[in-house]
Amino acid sequence: EVQLLESGGGLRQTGESQRLSCAASGFTFSSYAMSWVRQAPGKGLEWVSVIGGSGSRTYYGDSVRGRFTISRDNSRSTLYLQMNSLRDDDTALYYCAKGSSGSYFSVFDYWGQGIQVTVSS
Amino acid sequence: QSVLTQPPSASGTPGQRVAISCSGASSNIGNNIVSWYKQLPGTAPKLLLYSTNQRPSGVPDRFSGSKSGTSASLAISGLQFEDEADYYCGAWDDSLNGWVFGGGTKLTVL
């Protein structure tokens, strides 16, 4: 059974940093692309970033490029999102999502339950 | 403002057929796979359809999809109360080099 468990959320002040983790199990982690998708309170889904299965390719949404860094540790089956220079509008529920293949453009076939990040000035 | 455009709401009565549209551009829907996600209140999204009209195991065949040019559509036949949820379309965008989603459609079963 595929499981994705996010951790590392919480309350931060504007300008601070935070690192999210997503522990994966139930599949061969290194074979699949992984993404972060966020959802602000009462809003729709916003894609944040994707990393290919090998970790060599990464892409970012315009609102986070240059501030956030996605990475993965295939030996630990764990996905990370390093978030720097946090802004109020980064406040959201952050989901870890598994790609259906190793390609960065594969669809999101499993999602974690999400972790709340709140940024306050 | 979402890159993909969906109606904010849709509704139907049990047993009816409802369609939700998703409009995009050649760089996303026109050139790439469209996927649909269902989100019940307070829960994570779930993959509903991919490659326009492929269903993951466990998704009933009441759900179907189509694509024409730069638009896609999700159809739900034999509407049930459990179908009441938010529905999102998504696709990779070659110009943005990233995923884009629609703003979501809230489906109400009356």
Side-chain angles (χ1 to χ4, degrees):
Chain A
E1 178 193 5
V2 172
Q3 290 194 333
L4 302 170
L5 184 63
E6 302 96 339
S7 61
L11 178 64
R12 289 289 185 276
Q13 291 197 325
T14 303
E16 291 187 337
S17 298
Q18 190 162 21
R19 188 176 86 156
L20 303 183
S21 300
C22 172
S25 61
F27 62 101
T28 304
F29 184 71
S30 59
S31 296
Y32 295 91
M34 297 293 296
S35 281
W36 290 97
V37 178
R38 68 186 182 182
Q39 188 168 33
K43 302 296 184 182
L45 302 176
E46 181 189 8
W47 172 77
V48 173
S49 182
V50 63
I51 184 168
S54 66
S56 60
R57 297 188 89 160
T58 59
Y59 295 95
Y60 298 91
D62 287 345
S63 61
V64 307
R65 189 177 297 115
R67 300 187 299 122
F68 290 11
T69 302
I70 191 172
S71 62
R72 63 191 299 160
D73 184 340
N74 287 342
S75 68
R76 296 177 183 268
S77 296
T78 302
L79 175 72
Y80 301 101
L81 183 68
Q82 177 66 42
M83 304 184 293
N84 297 333
S85 303
L86 283 165
R87 310 187 308 213
D88 290 359
D89 60 0
D90 292 320
T91 294
L93 189 61
Y94 284 72
Y95 293 104
C96 165
K98 171 186 169 292
S100 58
S101 76
S103 170
Y104 54 85
F105 54 79
S106 59
V107 303
F108 313 114
D109 59 358
Y110 289 92
W111 299 63
Q113 285 307 297
I115 190 79
Q116 180 66 39
V117 172
T118 302
V119 183
S120 175
S121 53
Chain B
Q1 189 84 1
S2 302
V3 174
L4 304 182
T5 301
Q6 296 179 238
S9 63
S11 63
T13 56
Q16 270 191 331
R17 180 183 184 276
V18 168
I20 297 172
S21 62
C22 176
S23 178
S26 57
S27 58
N28 43 65
I29 292 178
N31 204 36
N32 293 299
I33 290 170
V34 177
S35 50
W36 290 90
Y37 303 87
K38 175 183 178 181
Q39 185 177 35
L40 293 168
T43 69
K46 174 186 169 183
L47 179 63
L48 193 64
L49 289 174
Y50 62 99
S51 295
T52 304
N53 197 27
Q54 299 298 308
R55 292 182 304 276
S57 61
V59 175
D61 58 7
R62 301 187 295 106
F63 294 88
S64 63
S66 63
K67 185 174 94 167
S68 178
T70 59
S71 293
S73 181
L74 167 69
I76 308 172
S77 60
L79 202 60
Q80 299 180 4
F81 286 114
E82 66 201 48
D83 298 332
E84 190 162 284
D86 292 326
Y87 292 85
Y88 295 90
C89 58
W92 179 263
D93 191 296
D94 296 328
S95 296
L96 297 175
N97 270 332
W99 274 89
V100 291
F101 288 104
T105 298
K106 184 176 183 60
L107 175 63
T108 301
V109 181
L110 303 168

